[in-house]
Amino acid sequence: YTIDFFEGNGYEMVGMDHFAKPTDELFKALGKGELHRNFQGYTTKGGADLIGVGLTSIGEGIDSYNQNFKIMGQYEEAIDAGKLPFERGVVLNEDDLIRQYVIMELMSNFKLDIKRFEKKFNVKFNEYFSDALKELEIFEKEELITISDDFIECSETGTLLIRNISMPFDAY
């Protein structure tokens, strides 16, 4: 009903549970396969560092994620000392970066260009993700995705289950 409501009022779905009008830059980025996702939602600005502001905020760098302190006193102490108020973080390894790319492409554009992936990472997709591809067979059988030598693409119904479709690529 929600999708019908938004579409009936001139909006189109862009990404998981997000909508925009066809004149919006997010909608145009989706059409060009250039939509990106971060902790704030969808954006046309991929690869930008994101510094979380406020308690428990999450930041993202080229190869890291970090989360701010949850307790106001610790947060203020870090700020007063001229430091970013990170409580914890993780530096991504090469496997994390490869998986992040695949997951973000699927979640952002509902499509993965396998040849572009292989060129970017110098990795044979079908070999690297042989286990994930086996897990995706059920989604393909149910016509939620199409897998070819060049692309993994979600059907319209598949876009509603993109979290589940992306999950086999998540090592964690």
Side-chain angles (χ1 to χ4, degrees), residues 101 113-125:
Y101 177 86
D113 183 327
I114 293 170
K115 300 301 179 200
R116 182 169 39 161
F117 164 86
E118 289 179 336
K119 185 175 182 182
K120 179 176 180 68
F121 292 101
N122 195 29
V123 169
K124 298 252 183 234
F125 183 84

Side-chain angles (χ1 to χ4, degrees), residues 17-18 23 31 59 67 70 80 84 93 121 132 141 148 154 165:
D17 55 33
H18 285 66
T23 54
Q67 185 173 24
K70 298 174 193 161
D80 290 344
L84 291 172
N93 63 36
F121 292 101
K141 180 181 176 192
S148 69
C154 291
I165 291 167

Side-chain angles (χ1 to χ4, degrees), residues 3-4 9 18 23-24 26 29-30 38 53 60 63 73 86 97 102-103 126 131 133 137 139 141 150 155:
I3 293 170
D4 288 343
N9 285 283
H18 285 66
T23 54
D24 189 271
L26 290 175
L30 175 64
N38 61 34
V53 177
E60 178 181 355
D63 65 352
F86 298 159
L97 294 169
V102 171
I103 292 167
N126 290 350
D131 290 346
L133 289 168
E137 288 174 1
F139 296 110
K141 180 181 176 192
D150 297 325
S155 67

Side-chain angles (χ1 to χ4, degrees), residues 14-128:
V14 291
M16 299 181 301
D17 55 33
H18 285 66
F19 292 82
K21 292 208 172 184
T23 54
D24 189 271
E25 66 181 285
L26 290 175
F27 186 83
K28 292 175 184 174
L30 175 64
K32 294 187 280 186
E34 297 174 355
L35 192 63
H36 300 276
R37 183 168 172 77
N38 61 34
F39 285 103
Q40 302 299 312
Y42 288 93
T43 179
T44 59
K45 311 289 189 268
D49 288 334
L50 180 66
I51 297 173
V53 177
L55 296 174
T56 75
S57 295
I58 296 174
E60 178 181 355
I62 292 172
D63 65 352
S64 66
Y65 292 109
N66 35 58
Q67 185 173 24
N68 289 351
F69 288 105
K70 298 174 193 161
I71 298 170
M72 180 62 87
Q74 293 172 316
Y75 181 90
E76 289 175 334
E77 188 177 306
I79 295 293
D80 290 344
K83 298 178 181 175
L84 291 172
F86 298 159
E87 178 176 23
R88 61 184 168 181
V90 62
V91 175
L92 305 178
N93 63 36
E94 184 178 4
D95 181 61
D96 293 332
L97 294 169
I98 287 170
R99 291 174 182 280
Q100 175 192 52
Y101 177 86
V102 171
I103 292 167
M104 289 303 181
E105 281 295 303
L106 288 170
M107 289 184 140
S108 298
N109 298 298
F110 303 125
K111 181 179 185 178
L112 173 70
D113 183 327
I114 293 170
K115 300 301 179 200
R116 182 169 39 161
F117 164 86
E118 289 179 336
K119 185 175 182 182
K120 179 176 180 68
F121 292 101
N122 195 29
V123 169
K124 298 252 183 234
F125 183 84
N126 290 350
E127 292 174 17
Y128 198 88

